[in-house]
Amino acid sequence: MTIRTRRTLAALAVVGLVPALAACSGDDAPGEAGSTPVPAESSTGGELSGTVTLVTHDSFALSDGLLESFEEGSGLEVEHVAAGDAGALVNQLVLTQDSPLGDVVYGVDNTFASRAVEAGVFEPYTPADLDPSVGTPVEEGLEGLTPIDRGDVCLNVDTAWFEEEGIEPPSTFEDLTQETYADLTVVTNPATSSPGFAFLLATISAFGEDGWQDYWAELADNGLRVTDGWSDAYYVDFSGAGEGGERPVVLSYATSPAFTVTEDGSATTTAALLDTCFRQVEYAGVLAGTDNPAGARALVDFLASEQVQADIPASMYMYPADESVELPAEWEEFAPLAEDPYEVSAQEIAEHRDEWIQQWTATVIG
């Protein structure tokens, strides 16, 4: 059975349940006549040729024709290698740094990126003429990477389930430790899942070094379920995905409710708890040791381009890093970002990652 990831399923939802979400900036669909052509030179000069290998997490997706338009305009051939969840992706990048998996990586996020940077996985590169909202230079410790998209990892609830049961949905971290919500929550393992690690970071930020382990112990005692990856948590265990799950509280994204919209488009059957969010940023970077450095830089330029940035909401269901890009109108109602998400610096993550994961494992898994 094919596991449908958050982004590919989201793209289907755009076509089916929420067709209006496909309306991004510009009049022409990606890759069609009128789209901005891709120059056959890199931003650093020189003709482009050969193959460039793009290594991503399993959830990478762009609209049909968009990557092909880059190949046609640049003269490059793009090969795509999917390497698992973001955590697994980083592990493979570190293990293969002397013989890299490809030329460019997309999908390393701010919860795992510092590990790859410290290991020397990347050749620093920043595209020219990025919109100021993209945030360059990027966060200290992640220099040389290019932000591509952003989103909030948050708890989601199946509001229809709670309405049917006559129970008020939870709204805070603390609510989930109450007996009312026993055996209702599923999250992902921070050792294997980037959303899982993002949620761990949110609780560390919320409860501090002296309190987060006690919080997780209470969650575990209240019937918490832990899965290895987001797809299993959302599509197997979550009741709101419409696939037979039995748990109405799941770790997902603030954008997830935008693809559980009712057929008439007037409401959604799930909601993100915006007081539980961690801001996730996903990056692209040139891999050190690339056999095609000019092609690699051109591909990073393309991922940061207006064409791709405008395609991200519909194809990958994340917010583009470029805040000047027009968003689908429905996102304001169904997929807002948190006003005050929890944050932990890349430096703190790099210093404590292994320690925090070991402590979480001892507390929750035993």
Side-chain angles (χ1 to χ4, degrees), residues 192-279:
T192 57
S193 162
S194 61
F197 189 50
F199 186 60
L200 171 58
L201 293 173
T203 63
I204 291 171
S205 179
F207 295 102
E209 280 288 351
D210 296 329
W212 72 265
Q213 292 180 68
D214 290 338
Y215 173 71
W216 278 96
E218 292 182 40
L219 271 184
D221 289 343
N222 208 36
L224 179 72
R225 177 172 293 172
V226 178
T227 68
D228 284 339
W230 177 88
S231 294
D232 282 343
Y234 198 90
Y235 292 113
V236 176
D237 291 309
F238 182 45
S239 61
E243 301 199 11
E246 297 181 350
R247 296 199 168 217
V249 183
V250 67
L251 179 63
S252 193
Y253 289 80
T255 52
S256 297
F259 65 89
T260 56
V261 173
T262 55
E263 289 187 6
D264 63 5
S266 63
T268 180
T269 58
T270 66
L273 306 186
L274 296 181
D275 289 334
T276 69
C277 297
F278 182 89
R279 179 66 45 83

Side-chain angles (χ1 to χ4, degrees), residues 32-276:
E32 293 183 355
S35 297
T36 304
V38 180
E41 295 183 355
S42 72
S43 60
T44 56
E47 292 292 324
L48 300 175
S49 63
T51 298
V52 60
T53 299
L54 174 63
V55 185
T56 74
H57 53 45
D58 286 344
S59 296
F60 173 76
L62 291 177
S63 293
D64 290 344
L66 188 53
L67 196 56
E68 290 77 7
S69 73
F70 168 73
E71 291 180 310
E72 182 178 352
S74 67
L76 293 164
E77 179 182 349
V78 179
E79 292 184 354
H80 176 219
V81 175
D85 190 277
L89 170 62
V90 169
N91 287 339
Q92 291 192 54
L93 293 176
V94 171
L95 291 172
T96 62
Q97 65 183 105
D98 293 331
S99 182
L101 296 173
D103 305 290
V104 173
V105 65
Y106 158 79
V108 174
D109 79 329
N110 54 320
T111 67
F112 283 98
S114 58
R115 182 181 174 216
V117 170
E118 286 184 335
V121 164
F122 300 108
E123 173 189 299
Y125 174 70
T126 301
D129 301 324
L130 288 175
D131 187 87
S133 65
V134 176
T136 52
V138 297
E139 184 180 353
E140 185 177 356
L142 304 182
E143 295 88 352
L145 297 178
T146 300
I148 301 299
D149 58 58
R150 58 199 168 93
D152 287 340
V153 176
C154 319
L155 291 168
N156 278 221
V157 296
D158 178 356
T159 52
W161 185 95
F162 282 102
E163 184 176 350
E164 290 174 5
E165 296 294 326
I167 302 173
E168 187 71 19
S171 60
T172 67
F173 288 124
E174 292 85 353
D175 287 347
L176 298 182
T177 65
Q178 297 176 11
E179 185 177 354
T180 301
Y181 306 107
D183 303 319
L184 299 186
T185 303
V186 56
V187 300
T188 53
N189 191 322
T192 57
S193 162
S194 61
F197 189 50
F199 186 60
L200 171 58
L201 293 173
T203 63
I204 291 171
S205 179
F207 295 102
E209 280 288 351
D210 296 329
W212 72 265
Q213 292 180 68
D214 290 338
Y215 173 71
W216 278 96
E218 292 182 40
L219 271 184
D221 289 343
N222 208 36
L224 179 72
R225 177 172 293 172
V226 178
T227 68
D228 284 339
W230 177 88
S231 294
D232 282 343
Y234 198 90
Y235 292 113
V236 176
D237 291 309
F238 182 45
S239 61
E243 301 199 11
E246 297 181 350
R247 296 199 168 217
V249 183
V250 67
L251 179 63
S252 193
Y253 289 80
T255 52
S256 297
F259 65 89
T260 56
V261 173
T262 55
E263 289 187 6
D264 63 5
S266 63
T268 180
T269 58
T270 66
L273 306 186
L274 296 181
D275 289 334
T276 69

